[in-house]
Amino acid sequence: MPNRLADEKSPYLLQHAGNPVNWFPWSSEAFDKARKEDKPVFLSVGYATCHWCHVMAHESFEDSEVAGLLNESFVNIKVDREERPDIDNTYMTVCQMLTGQGGWPLTVILTPDKRPFFAATYIPKETRFNRPGMKELIPRIHTAWTDERQKVLESAEKISQGFSRTLEMEPGDHPGPDLVRKTRYALDKRFDPENGGFGTHPKFPSPQNLLFLMQYSLSFDDSAALRMADLTLEKMRFGGIYDHIGYGFHRYSTDQLWLLPHFEKMLYDQALLMLAFTEGWKHTGNRLYRQTVYEMADFVQEQLTSDEGGFFSAEDADSEGEEGKFYIWDLDQVRSLLGLKEAALFTDVYNIEPDGNFKDESTGRKTGKNIPYLKKSPRELAEDRNMDEPSLLAKLDAVRKKLKKDREKRPRPLRDDKILTDWNGLMIAAFARAGAVFEDRQFTGTAERAWQFVSDNLVGHNGRLLHRYRRGESAIPAMADDYAFLIWGLIELTQATCDVGYLEHALDLNEQFMNLCWDENDGGVFFTGKEGEELLGRQKEIYDGAIPSSNSVTAMNLLRLGRLTGRSDMEKRAEKLFRAFISFLEETPGGSPHIMQALMFATKPSAEIVISGQAEDPVVQEMIRTLRHNMKMPFVLLLKNKENSLKLSELAPFTRDFPVETAPSVYVCHQFKCEAPVQSVSALKEMLG
């Protein structure tokens, strides 16, 4: 029978369009067929840049023998987790319940009414090291379905009931500063004081931990919290997890030293790490962090940006069938490309060794290959060579460009060119924030252009937000991450540009979001809208994994929008959201650092600021610059002038009584009280001091 994936848009599904497995996309057609033929459903979930998904595909899904077993026993469904995170979240929770672990590829066997009775991650073709293989497992499941149906259905019912219990959270009291402190010390217990980061290995960047710690250092006057974030940023930037030749961060480090990465590059990692390095520069003044932000921006604009301004999803880890092949070097390659002098400099600075600088994960032997990485900062490297830092950096950049030019001749890893609303929202937030902090209009313009792309291409005819765009087609109703992350991006654009139009868009989207996803009974947002597909139940995400959860981001969004507009109903919603998850937050300190950052915003000093004046006025610009660089607490900023006063009065009624001054004035409110307005930069600096 024909494979049904050839007409899909997902690069991941298209990778499997030539398989002998009779794949269906997730569809009513597939489940109707399962009911009609009385077969269970084999659900396989992955994504285009997933290494172990490639391995399982090559071993099993491209194998005619395994495909024959699958086609005979099941109706087979392929799902791109990035297209359908609602499906992935639901059945990943089941996998974690049943096996104690998760990851991709995700393999779940379902009844025709979508209830799971078996779950696993990667399954080898044949049994290996006590891990059951496909050739043995499929007949076993087929026999159970045929001969022991009642046991299978009872198991499916118990699993469904267990899943339902994961949806139950008892609302409690509003959390206070003690819970924020518990989060800080939970991170401290897992912190690696030598290499930075949290835990041993594999080691993930976890930028939301770093953003939390940097804010904590200010809100609680805790220099040790800042040192944790600072060391982690520095060690990651030194390590092989950073691509020193083409820029951008790889997915995670397989070792404790940040040396050997899992080589895929995800858009959301670039966005969140750009935010973290931007804040790192703001808190420490470390020039390497500023340089890193600009390098990451170069990578995103060069490799992950469409001609129309939207951001692509990812680059694969594999090329030519081998993980990391695009990125690694041997010493002879380097010497043949560079002159002896340049080669000596590069190999010394980036620790290139004759027998390789990392060991194969499986054999433990050195491979002869090298991943460029640093052991020292540019300043220290320059001092070691009796050079000034700018001269050394110029020499290294000239060498880097030669190596990059040669590397571009290699077969490049696959680029997943679908454009996702949620990840674009994160990238918009990152570029807008960097634009504000570094006063870089190009960064801000990149964020604005991406928002325009989303506005033009990812809003349906009914005005509803959509989740995915690829090659002219937009599809899939937006989920909580799409709304929360895009609203975050619009808030950052509001702050970067002082254009109230972005605030209006954020408020409109937030109203749509609340209507679709807000839980009126207990608080918090469901991951899917009330009109979304019914699976095992509507989940609420609160754990901050690779990205912050939709509820964590929504809490911060509601607080910031509430402060920007003066609307107490948004602050009340945020408080109800905190109470909805109090049991999880108390039981899992450190599990949701982004919502703890929001709690700091709610409970520690913060400010609301209105500037009256024209945006192009140099004095107004200097006032904004002063606030961004001198304000020691979180704040929200509005600019009022003759052109926007009417619209601003509609969106933020509290601004109606602020006069449109002939001379610029700054109104600062904090801790529920307002200071007298100031009319000069010097007076503003004195107030902030």
Side-chain angles (χ1 to χ4, degrees), residues 267-279:
L267 180 68
Y268 58 75
D269 283 324
Q270 313 313 312
L272 292 166
L273 284 164
M274 187 184 288
L275 283 164
F277 277 93
T278 297
E279 296 307 305

Side-chain angles (χ1 to χ4, degrees), residues 16-76:
H16 294 271
N19 292 168
V21 179
N22 181 25
W23 292 116
F24 285 79
W26 182 275
S27 59
S28 57
E29 179 189 5
F31 288 100
D32 288 344
K33 180 179 172 66
R35 280 188 287 271
K36 184 178 178 180
E37 298 184 3
D38 192 30
K39 287 182 176 180
V41 170
F42 182 91
L43 173 65
S44 178
V45 184
Y47 57 104
T49 57
C50 166
H51 172 68
W52 283 103
C53 299
H54 299 330
V55 173
M56 189 168 174
H58 180 66
E59 283 185 341
S60 295
F61 302 144
E62 296 170 11
D63 181 84
S64 57
E65 182 183 3
V66 175
L69 291 170
L70 286 168
N71 295 337
E72 181 180 349
S73 300
F74 304 111
V75 171
N76 303 292

Side-chain angles (χ1 to χ4, degrees), residues 458-466 478 483 512 515-516 530-531:
L458 281 152
V459 177
H461 297 303
N462 60 358
R464 292 280 176 83
L465 195 63
L466 296 169
Y483 283 101
Q512 188 180 127
N515 288 337
L516 289 169
K530 56 190 175 187
E531 300 164 3

Side-chain angles (χ1 to χ4, degrees), residues 365-428:
R365 296 174 182 169
K366 288 200 170 182
T367 63
K369 301 296 183 180
N370 291 272
I371 300 167
Y373 75 99
L374 298 171
K375 290 181 179 177
K376 296 181 179 180
S377 70
R379 177 183 57 78
E380 293 170 314
L381 290 166
E383 288 174 356
D384 289 346
R385 290 160 178 78
N386 295 315
M387 297 175 67
D388 61 89
E389 187 177 337
S391 297
L392 175 63
L393 289 175
K395 286 180 180 293
L396 289 174
D397 191 52
V399 171
R400 181 197 68 82
K401 286 176 179 174
K402 290 181 181 180
L403 293 173
K404 181 173 183 286
K405 184 178 180 181
D406 185 78
R407 196 177 77 173
E408 290 300 321
K409 299 173 186 175
R410 303 175 185 178
R412 194 172 187 93
L414 169 86
R415 179 171 63 194
D416 185 337
D417 62 355
K418 67 179 180 291
I419 294 173
L420 301 175
T421 299
D422 49 353
W423 298 0
N424 271 252
L426 292 176
M427 204 72 245
I428 289 167

Side-chain angles (χ1 to χ4, degrees), residues 233 237 249 273-281 289 292-293 296:
L233 288 170
R237 178 57 178 78
F249 277 89
L273 284 164
M274 187 184 288
L275 283 164
F277 277 93
T278 297
E279 296 307 305
W281 177 83
Y289 298 167
T292 304
V293 172
M296 292 178 72

Side-chain angles (χ1 to χ4, degrees), residues 259-260 328 356-360 365-367 369-371:
L259 171 59
L260 178 57
I328 56 180
N357 61 16
F358 68 93
K359 295 178 181 178
D360 182 86
R365 296 174 182 169
K366 288 200 170 182
T367 63
K369 301 296 183 180
N370 291 272
I371 300 167

Side-chain angles (χ1 to χ4, degrees), residues 521-533:
N521 293 323
D522 296 326
V525 293
F526 293 109
F527 192 78
T528 51
K530 56 190 175 187
E531 300 164 3
E533 181 177 359

